[in-house]
């Protein structure tokens, strides 16, 4: 009996010793877990054991803090950096001028190819020894280099003999928060806004610093902290003081703060009778406002503007153009080095034109008329962040204007806070699209990074998925989308696979089995979502207002906010004809692109119903009919989620129970909701096609009426004012 008890107690002790400590996801990919492998510990202390660092700048100080945090975590002891050069240094970090080693020809030569935010990392001979060096021209570069090194050390990799030189491919790498002053977040699925306006400027939540660390670790160097559906209050003096307090926290991390500028601010908060951009008093008001902001925030980034779109005020209210509006703000910011991000997300139901064509029609005639410090911020596709869209035709069509892509990290149309959908493949698909403008090889990435038009200025924006939830993004895998955006903004040449692998190792650990399983789940997840939501080029068939769940039956009211406008299903067929026989949106693309998309035989299935209205019995590349293919795609989407769930079960015990269970539960919801999408959409489309479901798919349950009657009055993230 005693022996049995002993064995039992022993197993309990052993089990609890083996159980991995609980994690809530707060540490993101900067977990710095204890390194237990003695060889690895030795390797890490051989690099971080004695770091010599230029501590004279605030960025130097945050590098020191990060290295102490990393060593405390990985080695169990915080190792502070030295401010003076030491012969026993294991790593030297800094910029030219501070330590002699940075003034050697070796380092100077390496820095020749390094831009303002870039860095060199490699071994350099100095005196009679070799030192590992992270050298940069500016402190921010040294910080990025440090995070790169920490990523290598955390993920179980090693530094090779080959030196590393990195430069960001894009100059302004921004998050866009759609956060309102009342702390609600438009299309936010991770709680409330992290900006606590009520307590600012005197109280700053410690999480703000962790937010800055996380962004800097990816190279994100700017953040627009307010919603594009803007509130003028953020431009009033008390709010500028609050914004300045946040800017103080961000500065050492190389992050500039930006605000959304409500176009009607001069009239709303400035006491003027108009906000006409050609009115001298209005122009002066903006100049004075910019001066006021820069007096408090000398490194203020600039303004993001949504104008004459979805009810927002803009220059057209006064008969002026987008260029008039953007240039007025640009002129006010230019003396301070600020930029304007002017959004091209414009469309109107009053114009009898395919919504997909409207931004192009409005902006192309203005090409070359914007100031040098204006970027036109263009969503990846011509409608609105759908699970899949072809690239926006504006890319390549405005060679005289700097364009910046806007990607949506928050999953407004991709399962919101409950679905695991890894978005890097979506981002990559857009960035790698060849616009053929002006010639083959002019991918969206090369247009926006300036290489096609030899443009120095470049920018990219990602609509944030960050909120007050303890794990920042609601769904743990939402973190991967923040991570992927940041990494691609730095280097759009990285692949979704590489980024996924990096993130998994940093977030869950380097066990190859675990990495393999999770990578497979992530890489299949976006296509799964496309299949169970909007396969074959369908788009905009989600529930009304909240955009949560399926709503292919949505009709009535503004046509361009309905689903029937987009899928055009009837008894004959389905799809939006955007060829010459229809809206001819295809004409907005280069001839080479038109050639691929204009013929349903050559048009990739992925975009088929985006560009074509086809009969239900149209023969697909697979040999089956369009109707059968549509049913099978929806079904395949559901099956993929089933496989994702099964795969996830295989990693049980390979990570802490808390994070494992949280993802497990959400995957269950995802499978239920994928089925819901499939059933509701197929039952609806069947009401048009009148055809039976292929016998080899799981037959949709329920009735169309039941699905149509579902209501979600409290779905999260809806815009509060609408
Ligand atoms: C910020 C879509 C979203 C809106 C969003 C808008 C935009 O319409 O549903 O919530 O508003 O895009 O990008 O401006």
């Amino acid at each position: 009996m005693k022996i049995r008890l002993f064995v039992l107690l022993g197993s309990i002790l052993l089990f609890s010793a083996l159980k991995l400590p609980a994690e809530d996801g707060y540490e993101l990919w900067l977990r710095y877990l204890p390194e237990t492998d003695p060889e690895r510990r030795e390797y890490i202390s051989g690099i971080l054991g004695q770091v010599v660092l230029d501590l004279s700048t605030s960025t130097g100080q945050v590098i020191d803090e990060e290295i102490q945090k990393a060593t405390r975590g990985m080695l169990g002891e915080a190792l502070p950096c030295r401010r003076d050069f030491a012969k026993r240094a294991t790593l030297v970090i800094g910029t030219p001028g501070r330590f002699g080693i940075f003034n050697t020809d070796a380092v100077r030569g390496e820095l020749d190819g390094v831009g303002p935010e870039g860095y060199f990392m490699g071994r350099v001979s100095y005196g009679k020894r070799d030192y590992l060096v992270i050298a940069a021209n500016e402190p921010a570069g040294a910080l990025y280099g440090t995070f790169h090194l920490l990523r290598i050390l955390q993920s179980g990799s090693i530094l090779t003999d080959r030196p590393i030189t990195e430069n960001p491919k894009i100059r302004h790498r921004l998050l866009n928060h759609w956060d309102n002053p009342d702390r609600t977040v438009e299309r936010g699925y991770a709680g409330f806004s992290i900006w606590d306006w009520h307590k600012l400027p005197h109280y700053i939540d410690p999480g703000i610093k962790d937010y800055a660390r996380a962004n800097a670790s990816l190279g994100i160097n700017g953040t627009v902290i307010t919603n594009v559906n803007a509130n003028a209050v953020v431009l009033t003096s008390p709010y500028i003081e609050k914004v300045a307090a946040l800017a103080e926290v961000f500065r050492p991390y190389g992050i500039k703060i930006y605000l959304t500028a409500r176009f009607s601010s001069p009239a709303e908060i400035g006491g003027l009778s108009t906000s006409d951009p050609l009115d001298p008093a209005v122009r002066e008001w903006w100049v004075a406002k910019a001066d006021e902001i820069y007096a408090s925030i000398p490194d203020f980034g600039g303004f993001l503007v949504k104008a004459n779109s979805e009810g927002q005020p803009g220059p057209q209210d006064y008969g002026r153009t987008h260029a008039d509006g953007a240039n007025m703000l640009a002129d006010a910011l230019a003396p301070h080095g600020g930029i304007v991000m002017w959004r091209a997300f414009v469309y109107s139901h009053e114009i009898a034109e395919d919504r997909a064509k409207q931004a192009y029609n409005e902006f192309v005639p203005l090409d070359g008329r914007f100031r040098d410090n204006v970027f036109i911020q263009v969503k990846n596709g011509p409608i609105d962040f759908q699970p899949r869209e072809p690239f926006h035709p504006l890319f390549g069509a405005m060679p005289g204007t700097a364009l910046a892509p806007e990607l949506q990290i928050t999953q407004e149309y991709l399962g919101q806070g409950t679905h695991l959908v890894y978005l890097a493949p979506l981002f990559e698909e857009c960035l790698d699209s060849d616009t053929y403008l002006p010639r083959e090889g002019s991918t969206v990435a090369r247009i926006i990074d300036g290489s096609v038009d030899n443009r120095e200025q470049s920018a990219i924006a990602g609509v944030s998925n960050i909120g007050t939830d303890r794990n920042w993004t609601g769904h743990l895998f939402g973190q991967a989308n923040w991570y992927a955006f940041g990494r691609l903004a730095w280097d759009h040449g990285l692949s979704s696979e590489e980024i996924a692998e990096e993130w998994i190792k940093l977030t869950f650990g380097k066990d190859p089995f675990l990495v393999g399983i999770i990578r497979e789940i992530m890489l299949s997840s976006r296509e799964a979502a496309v299949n169970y939501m909007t396969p074959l080029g369908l788009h905009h068939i989600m529930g009304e207002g909240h955009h949560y769940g399926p709503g292919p039956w949505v009709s009535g009211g503004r046509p361009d906010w309905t689903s029937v406008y987009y899928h055009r299903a009837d008894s004959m067929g389905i799809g939006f004809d955007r060829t010459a026989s229809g809206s001819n949106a295809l004409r907005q693309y280069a001839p080479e692109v038109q050639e691929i998309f204009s013929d349903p035989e050559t048009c990739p299935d992925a975009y088929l119903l985006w560009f074509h209205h086809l009969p239900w019995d149209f023969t697909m590349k697979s040999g089956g009919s369009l109707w059968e293919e549509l049913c099978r795609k929806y079904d395949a989407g559901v099956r993929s989620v089933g496989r994702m769930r099964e795969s996830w079960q295989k990693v049980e015990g390979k990570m802490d129970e808390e994070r494992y269970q949280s993802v497990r539960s959400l995957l269950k919801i995802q499978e239920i909701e994928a089925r819901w999408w499939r059933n509701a959409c197929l039952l609806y489309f069947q009401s048009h096609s009148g055809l039976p479901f292929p016998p080899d798919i799981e037959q949709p349950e329920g009735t169309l009426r039941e699905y149509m009657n579902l209501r979600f009055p409290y779905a999260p993230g809806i815009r509060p004012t609408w």
Side-chain angles (χ1 to χ4, degrees), residues 186-187 229 306 310 343 345 379 384 412 547 719:
E186 180 153 347
R187 312 306 176 186
N229 288 332
K306 172 173 175 177
E310 297 187 330
R343 296 177 87 227
F345 180 65
K379 288 190 182 183
D384 188 11
E412 176 179 357
H547 297 173
R719 51 181 88 179

Side-chain angles (χ1 to χ4, degrees), residues 178 186-187 189 227-230 306 309-310 312 343 345 347 355 379 383-385 406 408 412-413 463 540 542 545-547 561 717-719 722:
W178 286 354
E186 180 153 347
R187 312 306 176 186
Y189 312 104
N227 192 354
V228 288
N229 288 332
K306 172 173 175 177
S309 159
E310 297 187 330
Q312 293 299 302
R343 296 177 87 227
F345 180 65
Y347 63 99
R355 170 171 163 187
K379 288 190 182 183
I383 296 292
D384 188 11
F385 296 139
E406 178 177 312
Q408 195 179 42
E412 176 179 357
Y413 301 100
V463 180
H540 206 293
M542 65 288 159
H546 47 70
H547 297 173
W561 282 355
I718 306 178
R719 51 181 88 179
W722 282 41

Side-chain angles (χ1 to χ4, degrees), residues 53-66 83 252:
L53 170 69
D54 178 359
L55 284 162
S56 65
T57 65
S58 58
T59 300
Q61 282 165 23
V62 300
I63 295 176
D64 179 34
E65 275 172 34
E66 199 64 33
R83 62 178 64 234

Side-chain angles (χ1 to χ4, degrees), residues 52-130:
V52 172
L53 170 69
D54 178 359
L55 284 162
S56 65
T57 65
S58 58
T59 300
Q61 282 165 23
V62 300
I63 295 176
D64 179 34
E65 275 172 34
E66 199 64 33
I67 288 176
Q68 291 203 41
K69 197 169 168 62
T71 47
R72 192 184 314 115
M74 292 192 284
L75 303 175
E77 186 191 358
L79 302 176
C81 301
R82 280 179 63 107
R83 62 178 64 234
D84 300 312
F85 187 79
K87 280 202 173 134
R88 290 176 49 222
T90 51
L91 169 67
V92 191
I93 306 176
T95 48
R98 173 76 175 134
F99 306 118
I101 191 167
F102 290 120
N103 304 325
T104 59
D105 283 346
V107 172
R108 256 193 245 118
E110 299 293 356
L111 281 177
D112 272 353
V114 171
E117 295 176 296
Y119 53 87
F120 159 84
M121 176 157 53
R123 301 209 74 88
V124 172
S125 300
Y126 184 62
K128 292 196 175 108
R129 287 193 48 197
D130 259 9

Side-chain angles (χ1 to χ4, degrees), residues 383-412:
I383 296 292
D384 188 11
F385 296 139
Q386 295 301 293
R388 171 166 280 131
E389 297 191 32
F391 66 90
H392 202 299
L394 274 175
F395 294 116
M398 294 184 67
T401 308
L403 300 187
E406 178 177 312
L407 305 170
Q408 195 179 42
I409 310 170
T410 191
Q411 292 169 237
E412 176 179 357

Side-chain angles (χ1 to χ4, degrees), residues 1-78:
M1 188 64 186
K2 263 191 188 161
I3 291 178
R4 264 212 238 141
L5 189 67
F6 182 73
V7 171
L8 180 69
L9 282 175
S11 351
I12 291 172
L13 281 176
L14 186 67
F15 177 74
S16 39
L18 285 179
K19 199 169 166 255
L20 293 162
E23 290 191 55
D24 56 19
Y26 181 82
E27 300 297 339
L28 296 160
W29 46 86
L30 299 170
R31 291 154 68 233
Y32 305 127
L33 286 197
E35 182 52 72
T36 48
D37 174 355
E39 266 182 41
R40 226 25 238 162
R41 285 180 68 84
E42 206 178 315
Y43 181 70
I44 295 172
S45 32
I47 292 178
L48 298 182
Q50 184 50 261
V51 181
V52 172
L53 170 69
D54 178 359
L55 284 162
S56 65
T57 65
S58 58
T59 300
Q61 282 165 23
V62 300
I63 295 176
D64 179 34
E65 275 172 34
E66 199 64 33
I67 288 176
Q68 291 203 41
K69 197 169 168 62
T71 47
R72 192 184 314 115
M74 292 192 284
L75 303 175
E77 186 191 358

